[in-house]
Amino acid sequence: MDKILDLIIIGSGPAGLAAAIYAGRAELDTIIIEKSPISGGQIINTYEVDNYPGIPGISGFDLGTKFREHCDRLEMEFITGEVIKFEVKDGIKVVTLDDEKVYRSKAVIIATGSNPRKLNVVGEEKLSGMGVSYCATCDGAFFKNRTTAVVGGGDVAVEDAIFLARLCKKVYVIHRRDEFRAAKSLTTKLTAMENVEIIWDTKVEEIIGDTQVEQLRIKNLKTKEEKILDVDGTFIAIGYNPSSEVYKDVVEVDLGGFIVAGENCETNIPGVFAAGDIRTKDLRQIITAASDGANAITAVERYLNSL
Ligand code: NAP
């Protein structure tokens, strides 16, 4: 029988790396499995992170590298590979990689993250990070006193629009239907803001700009009328796709596919924990992901002590 580790951490974004740091300090026999050898997760594509305490203006790539270097100082063991199968057999967690290697452990932290949904329109990919953003709380400050648009009608879109309206000269909210999905408490606040204009029944057809977002081509879905909107930034908030495919038949997930877990990161399966963007939570940020990493290790230690 292969060695049984204390802990396998799956994912090397902020949640996985923070968990790895805490696991190293707790001297847990741990491996971290990451899909790519460049640690950091989603943040490596973030041009600038300006809301992580103590290091304003750092690039996402540099922050990810710092997290990874911290793990390396603790001599944590990283393995590159994609998890293709996850099972729990007699309480032992069994993780199979795409190269068919199999790892076993008493506890697992799933920290595989989620990705913001894309609109899949012309210009979106080209201008991503150049006025197209998927995180208003991360990038909103770059658009102070300027004109922005938020696309979407859920809680995140409306919260983003409220946040941006306090900073920006003007905020358009573009929603494909004629009513919000977001909570009434939020929409009431939004509609009372004077610099917000809601554009109903409309979808974005194209994001226009050379090196920066300059305009949106929008289309009213009822009248089919097209219009050009001058904007400096576009915040896309149309939901997230969690990376939970491999785990969703083992642990409980919500309707959106996020692993159901509270602040202690415990799932419905003993010894299986979910940390960071993959778990059900309100605010998906680097700081909340890192916080999950710490909380998850505390819960893992409690679990290991109970065995
Ligand atoms: P969401 O609730 O799934 O809303 C996504 C929004 O984007 C919907 O309005 C949807 O339109 C729209 N949309 C989806 N695909 C689109 C497309 N291709 N083109 C245009 N529009 C599109 O997602 P979310 O706002 O990111 O929230 C995620 C979860 O976190 C939700 O369960 C939310 O309640 C929760 N959350 C809670 C809080 C809070 O309680 N304070 C804060 C933030 C988030 P339709 O409405 O037409 O479907």
Side-chain angles (χ1 to χ4, degrees):
M1 184 75 170
D2 287 347
K3 173 180 173 182
I4 297 176
L5 297 150
D6 287 332
L7 174 65
I8 298 173
I9 297 170
I10 306 169
S12 66
L17 294 176
I21 292 164
Y22 275 71
R25 291 169 55 84
E27 297 187 3
L28 300 180
D29 189 9
T30 304
I31 60 168
I32 303 106
I33 296 171
E34 55 181 359
K35 210 152 79 171
S36 134
I38 303 170
S39 303
Q42 259 192 72
I43 64 166
I44 63 169
N45 298 317
T46 304
Y47 173 69
E48 189 174 312
V49 177
D50 209 22
N51 59 359
Y52 195 81
I55 10 185
I58 190 166
S59 79
F61 183 85
D62 288 348
L63 185 57
T65 304
K66 274 183 185 289
F67 284 174
R68 172 61 194 259
E69 284 168 359
H70 196 160
C71 295
D72 291 341
R73 266 177 53 176
L74 293 159
E75 297 180 357
M76 301 308 291
E77 185 182 349
F78 283 77
I79 287 162
T80 305
E82 186 163 356
V83 176
I84 55 162
K85 196 150 95 184
F86 176 63
E87 300 156 290
V88 180
K89 290 182 182 165
D90 297 328
I92 299 299
K93 286 73 190 176
V94 184
V95 176
T96 306
L97 301 193
D98 51 352
D99 61 5
E100 292 178 9
K101 284 209 178 93
V102 177
Y103 297 90
R104 293 177 172 79
S105 62
K106 296 175 198 161
V108 157
I109 297 175
I110 303 166
T112 47
S114 70
N115 288 303
R117 266 189 218 132
K118 304 275 183 327
L119 276 175
N120 294 320
V121 296
V122 177
E124 180 180 16
E125 202 180 324
K126 183 182 100 174
L127 295 166
S128 179
M130 281 122 96
V132 172
S133 168
Y134 300 87
C135 178
T137 42
C138 316
D139 299 329
F142 302 122
F143 296 89
K144 204 168 172 199
N145 299 325
R146 300 174 79 190
T147 299
T148 55
V150 175
V151 185
D155 283 332
V156 170
V158 174
E159 278 187 349
D160 283 0
I162 293 168
F163 173 79
L164 290 167
R166 294 191 179 119
L167 294 168
C168 298
K169 187 171 69 185
K170 168 106 189 174
V171 178
Y172 295 103
V173 180
I174 302 166
H175 184 31
R176 64 183 176 183
R177 290 188 295 130
D178 62 359
E179 61 177 355
F180 284 124
R181 177 181 295 279
K184 182 99 174 65
S185 55
L186 290 171
T187 60
T188 306
K189 206 183 277 179
L190 180 78
T191 47
M193 298 180 102
E194 281 179 1
N195 58 342
V196 171
E197 183 177 333
I198 300 163
I199 305 179
W200 301 111
D201 298 313
T202 296
K203 70 185 241 216
V204 173
E205 294 273 273
E206 185 181 354
I207 303 173
I208 303 163
D210 194 7
T211 55
Q212 276 291 321
V213 170
E214 291 164 22
Q215 293 176 318
L216 297 179
R217 184 162 62 82
I218 57 173
K219 182 177 183 178
N220 185 299
L221 293 166
K222 286 189 175 153
T223 64
K224 310 288 175 217
E225 188 197 342
E226 287 200 358
K227 225 167 112 176
I228 296 288
L229 218 55
D230 291 332
V231 295
D232 301 301
T234 302
F235 290 85
I236 297 164
I238 59 168
Y240 295 84
N241 293 324
S243 309
S244 62
E245 198 53 36
V246 175
Y247 312 98
K248 68 177 177 25
D249 295 329
V250 181
V251 291
E252 185 188 350
V253 296
D254 71 3
L255 285 174
F258 292 93
I259 298 175
V260 177
E263 203 187 347
N264 61 13
C265 300
E266 287 173 6
T267 69
N268 63 320
I269 304 295
V272 180
F273 303 83
D277 282 10
I278 191 74
R279 85 165 171 92
T280 46
K281 55 159 67 182
D282 278 348
L283 185 63
R284 296 193 163 86
Q285 299 262 291
I286 302 169
I287 192 166
T288 62
S291 155
D292 277 6
N295 278 316
I297 293 300
T298 307
V300 165
E301 286 188 281
R302 202 182 307 126
Y303 172 75
L304 294 175
N305 288 334
S306 76
L307 294 177

